[in-house]
Amino acid sequence: MTNYGLVIDQERCIGCQACAVSCKQENNVPMGQFWNRVLTEGGDKIDTPSGGYPEDGGSGSLDMQYQPTACQHCENAPCVKVCPVNATYTRDDGIVEIDYDKCIGCRYCMAACPYNARVFNWDEPEHMPEEGTGDVAARPQGVVEKCTFCSHRVDEGLDPACVVNCPADARIFGDLDDESSTVSKYINEYETDQLLEDRGTNPKTHYISGEMSPGRPQTSDKLESELDDVSPWSDGTEDVPSEASGSDSSDSGGGHHSIEGDAVPHVPAVGSGGDD
Amino acid sequence: MNNPQQPRLTPIDEWEDEATAMLDGVEYDTELGLRMARDAIRVSNGELSDAEFHEKYHDEVLAEFGEDERPTKPEGFDDD
């Protein structure tokens, strides 16, 4: 059975926000809301590094890493379990979706989501242009909404918009149950983490850190399974290291970007109508 | 992006405060939502079964929402 998942290579991510912007456009996400966010691990503000500039010939200590975050489409999704009207549900292909006709806006799902991946339409959603963007109908006021892995695209055999529009090829989407898929091979071969693994939610988004992968060069916007010829980057010989030991971060020069301890990636909830 | 979208990392202890804030002003039982959220995580990490979770909150959910369509309903569970 198909079980869709996402791999994000944090060594490739350049924090350009293209995923966040393309998600907003493709999914008609209201002004002031984001389904897909690129958090900054560094200073106190977005795109602000921690540490200091080199002074007096020193090496400096500037450091900033990116943590792209959206709905993790958890296998054991707490949001699904608490929804009293079954508006939030898991599709057969593993994508967690919301039936906006059923949603009563109780926000229990938002409280249950450890990843703060959901947003609530406090007011009548505003769009620019007014008629909206992308191929998804606007959601009404008073409902919760979130990333769908662009299920409307996936149903058409297309990769999610954030994947197609990532200029760093840092996002790879595919079938976790298919051992030959690039996502499966990368998870097997590279050092990957899931956010808040101790929660037991088993997110379907996996993060590569420590050693940069080849990513998935976008030869088209089709799903990997829809392509007739996916070589050379997914034939298992050129894109995946032969030994897992090659993922030793101490030799790579790359940072280890997994969330440490009990921290939760978080952006404070805001009402609609903010600057985008 | 402006200040309200400022990214930060929130410790899990503080996340409960955030969850409280999310439910602030909701027209349903805030305290029930918090308890269910907490226990839903316990279900995810195996401390509580789906059936136990469903039965624990069934009466309260029914009273609050007039229905209980959660997918955690065990086979043969009597709604009455």
Side-chain angles (χ1 to χ4, degrees), chain A residues 28-256:
Chain A
N28 206 7
V29 179
M31 297 285 284
Q33 306 279 42
F34 284 90
W35 288 2
N36 197 348
R37 303 154 298 160
V38 181
L39 310 186
T40 304
E41 295 180 56
D44 293 332
K45 296 181 180 179
I46 192 168
D47 278 347
T48 305
S50 61
Y53 290 99
E55 293 179 358
D56 302 327
S59 60
S61 57
L62 286 176
D63 183 60
M64 181 169 65
Q65 309 292 348
Y66 296 106
Q67 177 65 62
T69 307
C71 173
Q72 305 286 300
H73 296 274
C74 305
E75 186 172 312
N76 303 317
C79 58
V80 172
K81 299 181 190 300
V82 299
C83 181
V85 296
N86 201 26
T88 287
Y89 63 100
T90 305
R91 297 179 8 154
D92 290 341
D93 58 10
I95 296 176
V96 175
E97 273 202 338
I98 301 171
D99 183 334
Y100 300 110
D101 291 330
K102 287 184 177 178
C103 181
I104 57 175
C106 69
R107 307 202 289 276
Y108 281 18
C109 56
M110 292 179 68
C113 174
Y115 306 101
N116 198 21
R118 292 165 167 256
V119 297
F120 182 67
N121 289 337
W122 294 91
D123 302 309
E124 193 65 41
E126 295 177 17
H127 301 275
M128 186 66 71
E130 283 186 16
E131 61 268 29
T133 57
D135 296 320
V136 182
R139 282 70 58 188
Q141 181 181 5
V143 303
V144 172
E145 55 181 64
K146 68 167 194 71
C147 157
T148 65
F149 268 165
C150 282
S151 59
H152 62 291
R153 289 177 57 86
V154 173
D155 290 342
E156 299 291 326
L158 302 172
D159 265 330
C162 63
V163 172
V164 175
N165 290 292
C166 176
D169 296 329
R171 290 172 171 257
I172 306 104
F173 183 78
D175 184 3
L176 296 172
D177 283 355
D178 177 3
E179 290 183 1
S180 66
S181 70
T182 304
V183 285
S184 294
K185 287 193 292 187
Y186 281 13
I187 290 169
N188 287 334
E189 298 295 334
Y190 287 89
E191 180 180 339
T192 61
D193 298 286
Q194 295 158 292
L195 295 180
L196 302 175
E197 292 183 27
D198 63 326
R199 303 285 98 178
T201 52
N202 195 14
K204 297 197 189 77
T205 300
H206 299 253
Y207 295 89
I208 292 177
S209 59
E211 182 187 14
M212 185 184 291
S213 77
R216 187 197 152 189
Q218 292 298 319
T219 54
S220 81
D221 62 356
K222 288 186 175 181
L223 291 168
E224 187 174 25
S225 59
E226 302 286 329
L227 297 172
D228 294 328
D229 179 13
V230 294
S231 65
W233 42 267
S234 68
D235 63 5
T237 57
E238 298 185 24
D239 55 351
V240 177
S242 57
E243 295 180 9
S245 59
S247 62
D248 185 354
S249 61
S250 63
D251 296 332
S252 68
H256 185 81

